[in-house]
Amino acid sequence: MIFRFSLLLVILAAVFAYVGLTPGEQPNAVPSERWQKLTAKGQPLAPWAGPWSCVLDKQSGLIWEVKTDNESIHDGYWSYSWFDGRAGRANMGDCYFESERCDTLDLIRRANREGQCGVANWRLPTAKELQSLLYHQGKTGDALIEKGFFPHTKHGDYWSGQAQQALTSSFRHLGYGALAVNFGTGETTALPYRNAAFVRLVGQLE
């Protein structure tokens, strides 16, 4: 019995090594006509290869930020209030890379300074661009996105760049906010600027 268990561990280790994974990592992506993994320097990768830092949408030419769990500025757990330097509410999110709390402008400034994947024009996507990432063919309980290309996506709201949206229902008294797309439900909603929501930046090569 012990021999069989040890043999199973050896086989599993060999499989993980063959496909380039360690136990606990996200599964590799299947080949896609739409998505292309990119390294931090913007070089293309095979669907089963990694690590990757961005994903190119070959249909639109947009390059999407890939979230991590390494406490960098790209960590998928960080949240942000909506702020563009004029409208919105500054420093109402939660991250470790700012001395104060986080807002969307903080992330955009740092991402453009970093220039990951050769992109220096990172921005908040439109609601339509975010909606284009929604994927309903995944496993039950997964976030509504192709997780083989977009790991560390949360079941929550992701800010778009569309502000000055009239708030309704219990938020009506706050006046205006910005649109957000929820990757748990697929719904698009106007949220108060002060809300702490997630962000996935988008850009293009100039």
Side-chain angles (χ1 to χ4, degrees):
M1 185 67 177
I2 294 175
F3 172 76
R4 289 180 179 177
F5 182 72
S6 298
L7 181 60
L8 177 61
L9 290 179
V10 170
I11 293 171
L12 285 174
V15 170
F16 280 123
Y18 177 76
V19 298
L21 290 174
T22 57
E25 285 187 320
Q26 294 285 349
N28 287 317
V30 297
S32 170
E33 294 183 0
R34 179 179 180 186
W35 305 118
Q36 172 69 64
K37 292 180 178 179
L38 301 175
T39 68
K41 293 185 178 180
Q43 300 300 314
L45 281 171
W48 54 85
W52 68 106
S53 299
C54 304
V55 173
L56 168 67
D57 183 343
K58 292 181 282 188
Q59 295 178 1
S60 68
L62 295 174
I63 295 176
W64 290 92
E65 175 196 20
V66 168
K67 292 300 181 179
T68 70
D69 62 351
N70 62 4
E71 298 190 358
S72 71
I73 64 171
H74 306 289
D75 196 299
Y77 283 93
W78 304 149
S79 62
Y80 310 84
S81 58
W82 198 101
F83 185 60
D84 67 359
R86 300 180 303 276
R89 293 287 300 274
N91 300 323
M92 298 288 286
D94 186 24
C95 73
Y96 292 169
F97 60 79
E98 290 288 314
S99 57
E100 299 183 64
R101 297 176 70 183
C102 295
D103 56 58
T104 54
L105 186 59
D106 291 330
L107 176 61
I108 291 169
R109 282 175 172 167
R110 284 181 174 263
N112 284 330
R113 201 155 58 228
E114 180 185 81
Q116 182 154 277
C117 304
V119 177
N121 57 9
W122 292 107
R123 60 174 173 83
L124 292 176
T126 66
K128 185 176 181 180
E129 288 167 343
L130 274 175
Q131 290 161 359
S132 77
L133 299 181
L134 290 170
Y135 179 71
H136 297 274
Q137 283 72 56
K139 294 180 181 178
T140 301
D142 284 351
L144 300 179
I145 199 166
E146 292 195 63
K147 70 176 186 178
F149 289 95
F150 298 98
H152 309 295
T153 301
K154 306 306 174 191
H155 292 68
D157 296 307
Y158 282 74
W159 285 122
S160 81
Q162 291 174 247
Q164 291 302 105
Q165 304 292 316
L167 298 172
T168 60
S169 188
S170 59
F171 297 135
R172 188 187 303 273
H173 67 287
L174 296 173
Y176 295 90
L179 291 181
V181 176
N182 189 293
F183 279 80
T185 65
E187 297 176 341
T188 300
T189 315
L191 298 178
Y193 298 125
R194 69 183 187 184
N195 277 32
F198 302 110
V199 171
R200 186 182 302 281
L201 298 180
V202 69
Q204 286 178 289
L205 292 176
E206 297 178 327

